[in-house]
Amino acid sequence: MDWIERVAEIRRWSRGGERAPHKPLLLLYALGRFQRQGNRPIPFSAAEAELKKLLKEYGPSRDTSPGYPFHHLTNDGLWLVETVHGPGSPGAELSRLRESQAAGRLHPDLARALSEEPGLLGRIARYLLDANFAPSLHQDLCLLAGLDLETAEIIPDVKKRRDPRFRDRVLMAYEYCCAFCSYDGWLDGAVVGLDAAHVRWWAFDGPDDVANGLCLCAIHHKLFDKGVLGLTGERAIAVSARFVGRSQSARDMVLSLAGRPARSPQPGLDEVERDHIDWHRHQVFRTPPRG
């Protein structure tokens, strides 16, 4: 049985192409628990707050109940739920999950494979991360999910591979300068602290070309992928009204960017395409923008 294929076939809720990483987040959380405790049942009472935090930080901008993935993942042959009344989930409603003392665990066949096949846990986790989240978010997401990939013997199992030239092309296009703050650091003749950011995430068919890239410093790259920062249709910088920063550095580095035009690439090279900007605005940026 190819467990990577089984994970890839998870059924997702879909409406207008909106990101729906609810089940992947629950699976990453469950893999972290499996690393630490084996396949012991995970009471919903213990998982609720942690799943809610994962969904708040890495899910879509709309609020989502942790009961949704806890219940619906049972339809994919990877997750089982039992209650004090016996096998089977009582539904996605929080009150039912709480009152029935629901507890979930990985399907025994998957748990057995994880125990017997070295590297499988790492391959599944890497697939879930690559298929659903921007790379700049992976480390922090794993920490929040309690997942230790350093000991998981990660073996790449990716059919679609990134273009290694993407970073060089994007940084050259923006003349090795952050498109948001103009940072342009070098150390011993090498660029330091600058990234090539995908506007439409690679995990969601974002191409590895300049028209889908921005040269951003490391901090603005992270804030862009977290939805604090975005772009308008006119390629001005948008700042989420939900971001709060009281220090002078937060005002200088983030709040002062609102409405400022983003740096353009060199003449003759492609600016970010409007379709990619629209995708980021609807799928990542935490609306509404500051005025």
Side-chain angles (χ1 to χ4, degrees), residues 224-239:
F224 188 69
D225 285 346
K226 287 284 284 185
V228 173
L229 299 175
L231 288 173
T232 70
E234 294 71 35
R235 300 181 180 84
I237 303 167
V239 177

Side-chain angles (χ1 to χ4, degrees), residues 39-255:
N39 203 31
R40 292 169 54 185
I42 306 171
F44 183 71
S45 59
E48 181 178 359
E50 294 172 294
L51 285 175
K52 187 173 183 179
K53 189 170 184 179
L54 280 165
L55 287 165
K56 184 176 182 63
E57 292 204 27
Y58 297 100
S61 58
R62 61 182 178 82
D63 289 336
T64 306
S65 166
Y68 174 86
F70 204 91
H71 164 70
H72 286 288
L73 188 60
T74 59
N75 297 323
D76 296 287
L78 302 170
W79 178 252
L80 299 178
V81 173
E82 296 182 349
T83 71
V84 291
H85 308 296
S89 172
E93 293 182 16
L94 296 180
S95 59
R96 290 186 178 182
L97 289 165
R98 293 167 183 159
E99 291 167 3
S100 65
Q101 299 177 40
R105 60 190 172 98
L106 297 174
H107 192 285
D109 291 342
L110 174 55
R112 188 177 307 111
L114 291 172
S115 298
E116 296 175 352
E117 186 177 339
L120 179 60
L121 188 148
R123 292 199 302 275
I124 291 175
R126 179 59 61 194
Y127 173 81
L128 290 168
L129 291 167
D130 285 342
N132 295 280
F133 306 99
S136 70
L137 305 179
H138 291 183
Q139 184 176 6
D140 291 345
L141 196 165
C142 287
L143 286 173
L144 190 59
L147 183 61
D148 181 5
L149 290 188
E150 291 186 4
T151 61
E153 298 186 37
I154 297 171
I155 302 173
D157 187 17
V158 182
K159 295 180 181 179
K160 177 187 172 186
R161 299 199 177 272
R162 301 173 187 271
D163 186 342
R165 300 168 296 176
F166 174 70
R167 181 177 185 272
D168 289 340
R169 289 201 301 259
V170 171
L171 266 59
M172 181 192 69
Y174 286 85
E175 300 181 280
Y176 307 94
C177 186
C178 177
F180 287 178
C181 71
S182 298
Y183 167 83
D184 60 354
W186 292 70
L187 177 67
D188 294 334
V191 173
V192 62
L194 285 172
D195 301 332
H198 285 80
V199 178
R200 180 194 292 264
W201 292 356
W202 184 85
F204 290 85
D205 300 320
D208 285 330
D209 57 46
V210 172
N212 186 41
L214 282 172
C215 177
L216 296 177
C217 68
I219 188 167
H220 286 140
H221 185 186
K222 177 66 70 69
L223 295 176
F224 188 69
D225 285 346
K226 287 284 284 185
V228 173
L229 299 175
L231 288 173
T232 70
E234 294 71 35
R235 300 181 180 84
I237 303 167
V239 177
S240 172
R242 294 158 70 173
F243 173 81
V244 176
R246 299 180 178 87
S247 67
Q248 186 61 46
S249 60
R251 290 193 289 271
D252 292 343
M253 298 177 68
V254 182
L255 299 177

